[in-house]
Amino acid sequence: MHFLITAGPTREPLDPVRYLTNRSSGKMGYALAEAARDAGHEVTLISGPVFLPAPSGIVLVKVETAREMFEAVQKHIASADVAIFAAAVADYRPVVKAEQKIKKSAETLTLELERTEDILGSARGLFGFKGCLVGFAAETEKLVEHAQDKLVRKGCDLIIANDVSQPGIGFDSAENAITLCLPGGQTQTLPQQSKTALASELIQFITRLVSSS
Ligand code: PMT
């Protein structure tokens, strides 16, 4: 099968030297890409800026902003059987990117932000994706409730929910603990372990999901 996987943060520029971003390291998405490759699948990895080596045997598409990630996914998703959105895409970007470095002047500075493209939310409608659609949900409260809501709203086959309020898991950690949320309200918890071990379990789970559908 062909897996399309997104990973890492996006950077939304404010001026030539500053940007808005988040704590995603790309570790979860890269581990998934490597696990899918090791299971014999073709993989396209669309990655925001990370400090990880490019994995071998994988088509790597590097992007910086949410808009670039949206365009890369739009370009590559048609040939995918499975799409996994592990990237932490910025939900907002500055309305204006200053041409020159913003100078220090007033005591306070107000930034105006606008919504970025909803990549996961575009998969079924705008991109017409018919394959297995897997999203992540990074939540600090009501983990399963918010993940189930996302599953339905975005037309996903599976949402992988992370509690990102817990120390030692989630953003920028070597380990994670997740709850799999399926249509109909079914859930399954995978306890804390390395992102590499979790990724390999997840690829097996998703492969079984596709073959049973
Ligand atoms: O990179 P790591 O350091 O390993 O950390 C990544 C992680 C462990 C936290 C990862 O597993 C994770 O949860 N990634 C998604 C984080 C996130 O942005 O969640 P969200 O609840 O804000 O977004 C929900 C889903 O919509 C995600 O699949 C996201 O890729 C997608 N999304 C979000 C915003 C947007 N504009 N477009 C999107 O497609």
Side-chain angles (χ1 to χ4, degrees):
M1 287 195 290
H2 182 188
F3 280 67
L4 177 142
I5 298 173
T6 70
T10 63
R11 285 180 183 168
E12 309 303 326
L14 274 171
D15 71 12
V17 297
R18 303 184 181 96
Y19 50 78
L20 300 181
T21 190
N22 59 64
R23 294 180 186 281
S24 172
S25 62
K27 286 176 191 163
M28 191 72 243
Y30 275 57
L32 283 163
E34 287 169 356
R37 174 203 62 196
D38 292 346
H41 302 293
E42 191 187 333
V43 181
T44 301
L45 174 61
I46 299 174
S47 173
V50 297
F51 299 95
L52 298 172
S56 60
I58 284 172
V59 175
L60 177 63
V61 180
K62 290 187 181 176
V63 298
E64 186 138 332
T65 63
R67 181 173 287 138
E68 287 169 9
M69 187 171 279
F70 174 86
E71 286 166 359
V73 171
Q74 186 166 33
K75 183 171 169 193
H76 292 277
I77 200 167
S79 57
D81 303 295
V82 178
I84 309 177
F85 291 80
V89 185
D91 287 322
Y92 290 90
R93 68 175 150 244
V95 172
V96 176
K97 179 192 165 193
E99 288 293 318
Q100 307 300 332
K101 185 181 169 201
I102 299 168
K103 289 291 180 196
K104 197 165 33 181
S105 53
E107 280 306 309
T108 61
L109 173 67
T110 304
L111 293 175
E112 194 182 353
L113 305 178
E114 64 184 10
R115 288 286 299 268
T116 56
E117 295 75 10
D118 181 353
I119 308 171
L120 179 61
S122 304
R124 291 297 189 211
L126 193 61
F127 303 161
F129 181 62
K130 302 273 190 292
C132 179
L133 184 61
V134 180
F136 270 78
E139 306 291 347
T140 54
E141 56 164 1
K142 299 183 184 159
L143 182 67
V144 171
E145 195 181 315
H146 287 155
Q148 289 288 1
D149 173 61
K150 217 163 259 175
L151 179 93
V152 175
R153 278 191 295 112
K154 315 276 173 169
C156 294
D157 297 293
L158 170 67
I159 287 274
I160 301 163
N162 298 289
D163 182 348
V164 289
S165 68
Q166 298 298 318
I169 60 169
F171 287 112
D172 201 20
S173 306
E175 299 194 332
N176 206 1
I178 53 180
T179 303
L180 307 183
C181 299
L182 291 148
Q186 275 172 274
T187 60
Q188 186 178 326
T189 299
L190 300 184
Q192 183 168 347
Q193 55 198 297
S194 72
K195 285 179 178 172
T196 312
L198 268 180
S200 139
E201 268 198 63
L202 277 170
I203 295 299
Q204 287 174 37
F205 185 93
I206 292 165
T207 310
R208 284 198 301 273
L209 197 63
V210 172
S211 36
S212 68
S213 64

